[in-house]
Amino acid sequence: MNTRRTLFALALIAALPVTASAQALPDGRGLVAKHVAAMGGREAMDKHSSLHMIGTFSMAAMGIEGPVNLWRAKPNKFVQTIVIGSFGESAQGFDGTTAWANQPGAGYIILSGEMADQAKSQADFLADFPEPGKYSSIETVALEDFEGRKCYKVKLVKAAGGETIQYFDVETGLAAGSVRSTETQMGKIDITSVLSDYMEQGGVKMPSKVIQKTPQGDVTLVFTSYEWDNVDPAVFNLPDGVPALVAKPN
């Protein structure tokens, strides 16, 4: 056989697995839809008006742990408190208008810019049920291992700006985690979130364990209690001292 033809044939054969693999990747929007269905469907969350989650916070590298509470309400209100061991309580919230935070020893601040946008995004009651229309593109870029699970890696680009890498478990269809760049009071950092131990709560499958991998160490949140539709609206009132900050001239 002609050597040149042999090399050409081998090159074609070598290229086949790559082409087949690329064609085998499922549509990103289809993976998002599968995730929403696996959680119970958006209609399952639509039945609820508020949620109070109770759990524990731990940071093994620093030997810190404490209780965590998260309150959420439609359409876009939330408050989260975490007792960081002997350091005291850290809190963050959004009342539908103002995003704020309180760190031990630092006092209350009004969040602005990217940090405010992140708070608003977290406050979205339906944040775990992505609306495809809010994204300019949703692209499946790879099939790879993520934290010991075979997952599809999907890049989601928001129409309003910003992108997230989301991993969807091949077996269950549920979100296994994400990687994103996040603005903090200490500057921008990359955070990998790992979601596991999904449990059905109020007709909705939710991860009861969340590990956030940060440059300072892993932060683990484990939620053990879910109370639906019984959150006092007063929970979302701005804490004492925050209204005065809002009223301050720039």
Side-chain angles (χ1 to χ4, degrees):
M1 181 182 289
N2 184 285
T3 303
R4 187 174 298 174
R5 287 182 181 177
T6 303
L7 292 175
F8 180 69
L10 289 173
L12 286 176
I13 293 171
L16 285 176
V18 176
T19 304
S21 176
Q23 292 176 342
L25 291 176
D27 176 67
R29 293 180 184 273
L31 290 173
V32 170
K34 185 177 180 180
H35 158 75
V36 169
M39 288 190 72
R42 177 167 172 151
E43 61 275 10
M45 197 68 170
D46 278 336
K47 295 177 182 178
H48 299 293
S49 60
S50 66
L51 173 61
H52 179 199
M53 300 167 62
I54 303 173
T56 57
F57 153 93
S58 63
M59 195 169 182
M62 298 182 66
I64 299 173
E65 60 181 20
V68 57
N69 282 270
L70 176 61
W71 294 268
R72 302 174 66 196
K74 280 183 177 177
N76 60 344
K77 295 182 178 182
F78 97 102
V79 170
Q80 177 179 279
T81 63
I82 299 176
V83 179
I84 309 176
S86 60
F87 292 97
E89 184 178 272
S90 169
Q92 186 176 4
F94 182 69
D95 69 345
T97 302
T98 302
W100 57 270
N102 180 32
Q103 296 296 333
Y108 288 102
I109 62 169
I110 302 298
L111 301 179
S112 61
E114 189 173 334
M115 291 180 66
D117 291 340
Q118 289 167 181
K120 294 173 186 176
S121 178
Q122 186 175 353
D124 182 358
F125 197 69
L126 296 170
D128 295 326
F129 296 78
E131 295 182 38
K134 291 184 178 180
Y135 297 88
S136 59
S137 69
I138 303 178
E139 177 189 7
T140 309
V141 295
L143 170 63
E144 61 186 41
D145 288 331
F146 174 76
E147 300 297 324
R149 286 177 278 177
K150 190 67 71 177
C151 293
Y152 290 113
K153 180 180 180 180
V154 178
K155 182 170 74 171
L156 298 94
V157 180
K158 288 186 176 180
E163 68 177 52
T164 300
I165 296 297
Q166 190 84 44
Y167 291 88
F168 294 100
D169 190 301
V170 170
E171 184 177 344
T172 66
L174 292 163
S178 64
V179 179
R180 69 184 68 196
S181 183
T182 301
E183 190 68 36
T184 72
Q185 294 178 49
M186 298 176 291
K188 186 164 287 190
I189 61 174
D190 290 331
I191 294 180
T192 298
S193 296
V194 184
L195 312 178
S196 64
D197 299 356
Y198 275 83
M199 299 174 62
E200 184 173 320
Q201 302 289 342
V204 181
K205 271 194 175 180
M206 305 183 70
S208 60
K209 184 177 182 179
V210 179
I211 300 176
Q212 293 184 330
K213 299 191 171 187
T214 76
Q216 289 76 33
D218 291 358
V219 175
T220 301
L221 302 174
V222 177
F223 293 100
T224 54
S225 174
Y226 299 76
E227 184 178 11
W228 296 91
D229 309 317
N230 196 34
V231 175
D232 183 349
V235 167
F236 305 105
N237 292 345
L238 295 178
D240 293 343
V242 173
L245 295 176
V246 175
K248 271 186 177 181
N250 293 328

